[in-house]
Amino acid sequence: MPKRGSWRTRFGFYLLAIGSACGLGNLWRFPYVVGENGGGAFILLYVFLALAIGAPLVISELILGKTTRKSVIVATQGLSARAGTSFKWVGRFSVMLTIVVLSYYAVISGWVLHFLSQFFVELFRDGEMNSRTAPLVFLMNNGWLQLLLASAHLLITIVVVAKGVQEGIEKWISYMMPLFAGLVILLVVRSLSLPSTLEVLRFLFYPDFSKLTYSSLIHAVGHVLFTLSVGFGTLVTFGSYMRDEDHTPTAGFRVAVVDTLISLIAVVMLFPVAFQASNVPLTDPALLFEVLPKYLVSLPGGNFFGLLFFLCLYMAALNASIGLLEVVVSNLTDVYKKISRARATWFAGAVSLLLTVVPALSSSVFGTFRFRDRSLIESLDSILINWILPLVALGLSVAYVRGTSDLEKEQSFIDRERFVSVRMYPNWLFSLRYLTPIVIIAGLLLQIYGVFFRP
Ligand code: PHE
């Protein structure tokens, strides 16, 4: 049986957990979801939910992994046995969701690869990207290129995961991420000096609640879950690698806070540029790719800067993809004890490769598909993140609450040396028992009303 890895250092755990949380969700998805939901009021709702239900869910998934030392399918089997109810479907569903999400995440990672290569080529051509019709249009019209790039991305992911947890990437992410942070901060400073800044800050931070729609609550919940990697079993797997002496609530809370801050920085970075390019709708899922490259090439030394930026963004996307594939592999090796890690990785990767055909060809071969004025990839994103993910996360949370005793919950949360954990314990329980189910169910019902019944 393959040996379960364990983080050599606490810093290593943070790198991977934060690395898996911070990805395209923060930089690509969050900005257009904010655009779709009208800005300030949505951001306020999002930050509240990230702390009130996101962080508690991160913590409970990490605890589940750390206490069982298993991945989500086996861990929920244990919970089912204890609760006397079958929660097995939740674990299985979450792993299936993970494979599907990986295949469409690969398509967006492929877009990043495309821009990375464009900036690279641009280094030798200087200035042409500005005048040529945007590389995005080229990409959108060329489904096979999208498929090729998504497949290349999946292959890289597979190779890294097949090599194993520790040796994999831990080392080199640690070099890239501070560089990424530096680039983003530079960009924030630059874009905040654009004339649109005041208007942008008002849009982002002045809450106008009339802009929220019936779907906004579940959009906020869905994005919180997606960006914190809750509901995929990722955190259960990561928790199973934690060391005994690590305090899970502190780790979970920090991951949630850092991830939320990064999302906020992403919108502050992107929106001034997006407002400047007034022809691009803020609700466009390609918003990041639409406005940022054009802005970057207009800056002095922009090609080189763009190359570095997209390289870092790619690393973040790769890191998150590794987290996704890692979960599937750890579940397979937990359930089928005879299968080797490398085999499980190639198997899960191959399934993902097959599935990726659909989202990759969304704007070309399946271009005529429209559902409520959304393209195939947008509809897929919406079904997965705004409908299925909240249900799975709710299922996991209920399974945890019902399948563990109060004493166990208390013991895994409270660390007597940290007084704050004693004070936070009742809030955590309250969130898991009441707030999370109420918010998710209310969000889903409002969405059903808004989508199907509103005149
Ligand atoms: N949280 C990642 C992001 O924001 C996506 C992800 C989800 C990664 C689930 C791993 C597991 O991009």
Side-chain angles (χ1 to χ4, degrees):
M1 184 176 143
K3 199 170 144 282
R4 184 162 289 274
S6 131
W7 304 109
R8 279 158 299 169
T9 62
R10 180 167 305 159
F11 187 61
F13 171 78
Y14 278 116
L15 271 183
L16 220 100
I18 292 179
S20 147
C22 302
L24 295 173
N26 308 69
L27 280 120
W28 157 72
R29 198 174 186 277
F30 188 57
Y32 84 81
V33 175
V34 167
E36 269 180 351
N37 290 281
F42 181 78
I43 291 193
L44 200 64
L45 184 64
Y46 167 80
V47 173
F48 169 74
L49 292 177
L51 298 177
I53 69 171
L57 288 173
V58 170
I59 295 170
S60 64
E61 282 196 22
L62 286 176
I63 289 181
L64 185 57
K66 190 178 163 203
T67 48
T68 56
R69 296 277 169 217
K70 290 279 178 257
S71 294
V72 70
I73 293 187
V74 178
T76 45
Q77 278 167 0
L79 294 177
S80 299
R82 307 261 319 262
T85 323
S86 179
F87 290 115
K88 286 180 197 156
W89 64 272
V90 192
R92 292 191 193 132
F93 234 87
S94 97
V95 176
M96 282 193 271
L97 179 69
T98 308
I99 299 202
V100 181
V101 167
L102 174 61
S103 61
Y104 106 99
Y105 205 83
V107 176
I108 316 295
S109 307
W111 296 3
V112 180
L113 269 181
H114 177 64
F115 279 91
L116 180 59
S117 65
Q118 291 297 308
F119 273 106
F120 183 71
V121 171
E122 222 52 43
L123 276 187
F124 307 99
R125 280 206 290 216
D126 217 34
E128 272 183 45
M129 184 137 80
N130 225 353
S131 52
R132 252 185 305 135
T133 33
L136 187 67
V137 178
F138 179 71
L139 189 63
M140 287 304 142
N141 291 333
N142 199 337
W144 299 106
L145 176 63
Q146 290 194 50
L147 184 57
L148 187 78
L149 291 166
S151 311
H153 171 76
L154 279 173
L155 279 177
I156 299 173
T157 311
I158 294 171
V159 170
V160 174
V161 175
K163 279 180 69 186
V165 173
Q166 287 94 339
E167 310 145 13
I169 41 154
E170 202 181 317
K171 298 186 277 298
W172 41 271
I173 324 159
S174 56
Y175 302 129
M176 295 298 285
M177 288 306 126
L179 172 67
F180 199 18
L183 294 176
V184 169
I185 290 170
L186 268 178
L187 259 184
V188 168
V189 173
R190 275 241 49 139
S191 67
L192 280 181
S193 63
L194 290 171
S196 53
T197 297
L198 275 183
E199 201 191 335
V200 168
L201 291 180
R202 195 181 151 77
F203 175 78
L204 291 179
F205 298 113
Y206 176 78
D208 176 356
F209 288 94
S210 67
K211 292 209 179 128
L212 294 178
T213 67
Y214 285 107
S215 298
S216 293
L217 179 59
I218 204 72
H219 283 187
V221 171
H223 190 76
V224 162
L225 301 174
F226 178 72
T227 190
L228 295 177
S229 316
V230 169
F232 296 88
T234 321
L235 296 161
V236 180
T237 296
F238 285 1
S240 76
Y241 299 144
M242 280 176 100
R243 300 175 312 172
D244 286 337
E245 62 270 34
D246 290 337
H247 188 232
T248 334
T250 315
F253 187 71
R254 285 190 188 152
V255 171
V257 169
V258 171
D259 185 82
T260 307
L261 281 177
I262 293 182
S263 289
L264 294 178
I265 293 174
V267 284
V268 172
M269 174 190 86
L270 194 67
F271 273 75
V273 185
F275 270 54
Q276 204 82 347
S278 50
N279 55 341
V280 185
L282 300 177
T283 54
D284 188 344
L287 185 65
L288 174 81
F289 301 96
E290 193 90 61
V291 296
L292 198 65
K294 281 194 200 134
Y295 176 63
L296 286 175
V297 283
S298 73
L299 298 177
N303 281 339
F304 184 61
F305 196 94
L307 179 70
L308 280 185
F309 183 89
F310 276 89
L311 183 64
C312 291
L313 185 60
Y314 182 68
M315 291 304 168
L318 180 61
N319 202 6
S321 307
I322 288 167
L324 285 159
L325 185 57
E326 172 68 38
V327 186
V328 184
V329 171
S330 70
N331 274 286
L332 285 176
T333 49
D334 273 356
V335 174
Y336 305 102
K337 298 206 169 55
K338 289 208 187 94
I339 194 173
S340 76
R341 191 186 157 81
R343 271 213 170 164
T345 310
W346 283 100
F347 173 74
V351 174
S352 228
L353 260 171
L354 269 180
L355 292 176
T356 208
V357 175
V358 178
L361 301 183
S362 149
S363 59
S364 54
V365 177
F366 303 119
T368 47
F369 174 95
R370 308 279 314 160
F371 179 69
R372 296 186 169 262
D373 209 29
R374 289 183 165 179
S375 68
L376 185 62
I377 199 166
E378 283 174 74
S379 308
L380 193 66
D381 174 281
S382 176
I383 293 171
L384 292 174
I385 315 284
N386 300 330
W387 296 89
I388 302 181
L389 180 59
L391 280 174
V392 174
L394 177 63
L396 269 180
S397 153
V398 173
Y400 176 74
V401 170
R402 304 252 329 256
T404 50
S405 69
D406 282 353
L407 185 67
E408 280 168 317
K409 289 191 192 74
E410 192 177 317
Q411 279 171 348
S412 38
F413 191 96
I414 292 181
D415 173 351
R416 297 276 161 210
E417 314 234 307
R418 294 170 202 254
F419 183 60
V420 59
S421 70
V422 180
R423 286 230 314 264
M424 290 314 285
Y425 177 66
N427 298 337
W428 176 65
L429 263 194
F430 175 79
S431 175
L432 290 185
R433 284 214 173 112
Y434 306 107
L435 196 63
T436 303
I438 291 174
V439 168
I440 293 183
I441 291 169
L444 285 170
L445 290 177
L446 282 171
Q447 172 166 254
I448 291 173
Y449 175 75
V451 172
F452 297 108
F453 297 106
R454 202 163 43 107

